[in-house]
Amino acid sequence: FARDNAVHSLVDLVSSAPREKVVRVALSALRSLAQCNSDVSPMPSSKKEVTGSTFLIDMIGCGLIKYVDQMKERQWTDPDIVADLDVLHKLLHDNFKEMSRWDVYLAEVQSGSLEWGFLHTEKFFKENAKNFEGPDGDFFVVKLLVALTTSNDEEVQAIACYDIGEFVRHYPNGRAIARSLGAKDIVMKLVDHPNKELQRHALTAVSKMMVQNWASVH
């Protein structure tokens, strides 16, 4: 349940501002996940323990904090919605405070819900380039970014292109690694995309993968 996109689907329901009844059901489900305890349904010893914290990280990655903050400003007639928002607001913000910027970035990439912000800047990549290796040295985050360049969301595609380009700039031998993961060929296909913003980020990313010293020509 933790990795079957349930959180992503519930956050989508909340963010699309449907009927109040749908909001209440979605928030109630999110609150239940955020407060779940692994003792209720223990995982086999060979699998990673799933707790409320696991789901909260997913929720943060999907951008739920922003939606909850916005929803708390509205006047709701349903007291259950108000109660769920209060609980989720506290749990999300408390958990966010304990996460490093890299933790938040990783959660966002794994959720597939990329949004422009402080995580997608030159400063972030300068400070976190080494983390892209991953604990097993397989650059799995870069692999996820390459996959996200084929997302159905054009903004997600554009951000993924930007991030790949910045990884290439700031990680030693990043150009060779990105190429070995197929990034150049996939991003190259977006250079002629009708969306001008996506086209621009794709072209810039490809240029960074081809130019030895990007700073000298930029």
Side-chain angles (χ1 to χ4, degrees):
F1 191 71
R3 289 291 180 264
D4 64 357
N5 285 328
V7 167
H8 198 296
S9 298
L10 289 168
V11 173
D12 280 348
L13 276 178
V14 169
S15 64
S16 61
R19 299 187 307 277
E20 191 165 294
K21 180 179 179 181
V22 178
V23 171
R24 176 170 57 80
V25 173
L27 286 176
S28 177
L30 287 167
R31 175 179 174 174
S32 295
L33 291 175
Q35 294 181 309
C36 80
N37 191 315
S38 60
D39 292 339
V40 177
S41 55
M43 299 290 289
S45 58
S46 61
K47 293 188 177 181
K48 185 178 179 180
E49 182 180 70
V50 177
T51 65
S53 179
T54 306
F55 291 113
L56 282 165
I57 291 172
D58 287 348
M59 292 175 201
I60 290 170
C62 290
L64 184 60
I65 284 183
K66 177 180 67 177
Y67 301 129
V68 167
D69 287 350
Q70 292 172 349
M71 293 172 75
K72 277 182 66 65
E73 299 299 317
R74 294 172 56 182
Q75 297 297 317
W76 299 95
T77 58
D78 190 329
D80 289 338
I81 290 181
V82 176
D84 288 341
L85 284 173
D86 286 342
V87 171
L88 283 169
H89 183 271
K90 185 177 189 312
L91 289 173
L92 287 165
H93 281 276
D94 286 350
N95 209 71
F96 182 80
K97 290 175 185 175
E98 297 176 3
M99 295 172 70
S100 68
R101 287 195 170 191
W102 175 255
D103 291 334
V104 178
Y105 179 79
L106 183 58
E108 184 180 295
V109 173
Q110 290 179 316
S111 78
S113 301
L114 305 184
E115 292 187 1
W116 291 112
F118 70 89
L119 297 175
H120 309 285
T121 60
E122 179 181 15
K123 183 176 186 294
F124 174 82
F125 278 84
K126 278 183 177 179
E127 295 173 350
N128 292 278
K130 191 75 173 174
N131 289 326
F132 282 84
E133 294 176 359
D136 300 319
D138 59 356
F139 296 90
F140 78 98
V141 179
V142 183
K143 293 176 183 177
L144 290 175
L145 290 172
V146 173
L148 287 175
T149 62
T150 63
S151 167
N152 293 324
D153 186 320
E154 292 176 355
E155 181 174 83
V156 170
Q157 289 180 284
I159 297 172
C161 287
Y162 174 84
D163 285 7
I164 291 170
E166 287 300 280
F167 163 75
V168 167
R169 283 184 64 202
H170 298 291
Y171 186 85
N173 206 30
R175 294 165 64 238
I177 292 165
R179 287 180 177 180
S180 71
L181 296 176
K184 181 183 173 185
D185 292 338
I186 293 176
V187 175
M188 185 75 81
K189 296 176 182 178
L190 300 174
V191 170
D192 294 321
H193 197 281
N195 182 311
K196 295 300 183 183
E197 184 73 3
L198 173 52
Q199 182 185 115
R200 180 172 68 84
H201 284 292
L203 180 59
T204 302
V206 170
S207 299
K208 290 175 182 176
M209 283 185 262
M210 295 179 67
V211 177
Q212 184 72 38
N213 187 354
W214 174 254
S216 67
V217 298
H218 183 55

